Amino acid sequence: MELPEVEIVCRQMRKVMVGKEITSAWSHNSKRFLPAKKSVGGVISEIDRHGKYILVKTNVKMLTKINEPYELICHLGMSGSLSLRKVTPADLNISPLALAKKYIRARWFFSDEIMELRDVRRFGWVFWVKAGDYSQIPTLRDAGPDALKPDFTPKALYEGITKSRQNIKTQLLGQKCVAGLGNIYVDEALWESGISPLRTQISQAKANLLHNAIVESLKTGLRHGGTTLRDYRTFTGTKGTHQDHLRCYGRGGEPCLKCQKPLTQIKLGGRGTTYCKNCQK
DNA sequence: GTGATAACCTGCTCGC
DNA sequence: TGCGAGCAGGTTATCA
């Protein structure tokens, strides 16, 4: 899941989750999901996001202090989704084995509702931390500016890129230059801006183009409700349609929409990468 | 410290 | 039809 998909989930959660209290919780027996159990007692005050991380801000009533702020942090990995529905009697007696068969990795109960994290590939993460303390989440702690927030500027992008000698695609995926991009939107933004994913450095002028392409690619993905290649579902269970509007990602061998020459498919940093050798220099 | 690669996990698609 | 290989919206650990 990349920024547009996570942003859509956050927007939908914001409408219905604020004010709810977590009365009990269950998790898959994996260190990736176990922190879900610690969140019992949290009253949700706000839903925020940084990059691909969903930040569920809560207040927890303590014996000695009132309203200690904690955050329930969810990362959906490559195949995760969150959903909310009414609790049924069957929900209270279901076995861990039955949950595993449905790929449910964590569950949070509210007064009469249940939120479930479904994650087929188990690449997602759940954290429970004191508000703002991201020391145990290096990718979030070290993340650059969120791609759709005001502090992500062409200058910040250029300065981030000049700090490393890695190829630009790997840098953009690393979340340090800018937070929220994944394989799809990196390929799309590099194609839009005419920059080869193999490059290690770019000029400020190219950084300006790339900045604009990143923001526009993400906003277009948002308008289409996100990209559903296989597993992605919104918080309300619908699919995105952006997969029908991709201009570069996943089109290896097909003609480039700018020059008509076939798009090249390579492996870069272990990830499938599509680009145009003719247009992207 | 930096960069490249493997590993984690499961399901789907494709070729034989 | 059945089987194995390869691949997939990501991140982290390990090694050179």
Side-chain angles (χ1 to χ4, degrees):
Chain A
M1 307 305 145
E2 305 187 35
L3 190 153
E5 291 77 39
V6 178
E7 173 63 17
I8 288 162
V9 170
C10 284
R11 288 179 183 180
Q12 293 176 337
M13 288 179 75
R14 219 168 270 139
K15 290 180 183 173
V16 295
M17 297 302 290
V18 173
K20 293 188 190 297
E21 179 177 355
I22 302 169
T23 56
S24 64
W26 171 91
S27 86
H28 181 274
N29 189 27
S30 153
K31 68 174 184 179
R32 287 175 173 265
F33 307 107
L34 280 172
K37 293 179 180 176
K38 297 180 185 173
S39 60
V40 175
V43 179
I44 298 172
S45 58
E46 188 183 346
I47 308 287
D48 201 357
R49 178 189 60 73
H50 190 88
K52 303 170 193 172
Y53 288 89
I54 298 170
L55 313 175
V56 180
K57 303 194 175 185
T58 73
N59 290 309
V60 182
K61 290 176 187 169
M62 310 294 279
L63 289 175
T64 53
K65 295 177 184 176
I66 297 173
N67 292 344
E68 184 84 9
Y70 274 78
E71 290 180 34
L72 174 66
I73 298 176
C74 294
H75 190 297
L76 300 177
M78 293 173 86
S79 60
S81 63
L82 285 165
S83 63
L84 181 74
R85 59 182 171 77
K86 292 284 182 189
V87 175
T88 66
D91 286 320
L92 306 175
N93 299 314
I94 191 167
S95 70
L97 185 63
L99 288 169
K101 284 185 177 176
K102 294 175 160 183
Y103 311 110
I104 304 297
R105 310 306 183 190
R107 314 170 90 198
W108 294 268
F109 288 86
F110 304 95
S111 62
D112 62 345
E113 290 171 303
I114 179 173
M115 182 171 78
E116 292 181 323
L117 170 60
R118 182 178 186 270
D119 184 2
V120 173
R121 293 178 65 185
R122 285 199 257 158
F123 283 172
W125 289 94
V126 174
F127 301 92
W128 177 250
V129 302
K130 283 195 173 180
D133 176 11
Y134 305 138
S135 55
Q136 60 174 296
I137 317 171
T139 324
L140 180 57
R141 181 193 63 205
D142 302 332
D146 184 278
L148 287 186
K149 292 183 180 170
D151 53 345
F152 176 54
T153 62
K155 186 168 179 282
L157 177 63
Y158 176 69
E159 289 175 353
I161 289 169
T162 54
K163 284 181 187 168
S164 168
R165 293 179 182 176
Q166 285 180 304
N167 65 68
I168 196 162
K169 167 146 186 176
T170 303
Q171 289 194 57
L172 294 173
L173 288 175
Q175 308 300 303
K176 288 183 180 172
C177 295
V178 51
L181 294 179
N183 209 26
I184 293 175
Y185 293 94
V186 166
D187 277 8
E188 293 290 295
L190 287 171
W191 180 82
E192 287 286 354
S193 55
I195 297 169
S196 166
L198 300 164
R199 287 194 71 138
T200 55
Q201 291 297 314
I202 57 173
S203 65
Q204 177 70 66
K206 281 284 186 186
N208 295 348
L209 283 175
L210 178 58
H211 174 273
N212 187 59
I214 288 170
V215 173
E216 287 307 310
S217 296
L218 295 172
K219 285 183 175 176
T220 305
L222 265 176
R223 280 197 296 274
H224 292 140
T227 309
T228 301
L229 296 180
R230 182 167 299 168
D231 299 298
Y232 168 65
R233 298 290 184 279
T234 68
F235 195 59
T236 56
T238 59
K239 293 182 180 181
T241 61
H242 190 54
Q243 63 279 6
D244 300 329
H245 302 272
L246 296 173
R247 293 153 69 83
C248 178
Y249 174 86
R251 296 186 61 247
E254 296 179 34
C256 170
L257 296 177
K258 292 178 183 170
C259 71
Q260 305 308 313
K261 293 190 175 172
L263 293 167
T264 301
Q265 183 78 25
I266 60 170
K267 278 269 185 188
L268 200 55
R271 310 296 299 277
T273 299
T274 312
Y275 76 109
C276 177
K277 280 185 175 176
N278 187 49
C279 299
Q280 293 175 252
K281 304 294 186 188

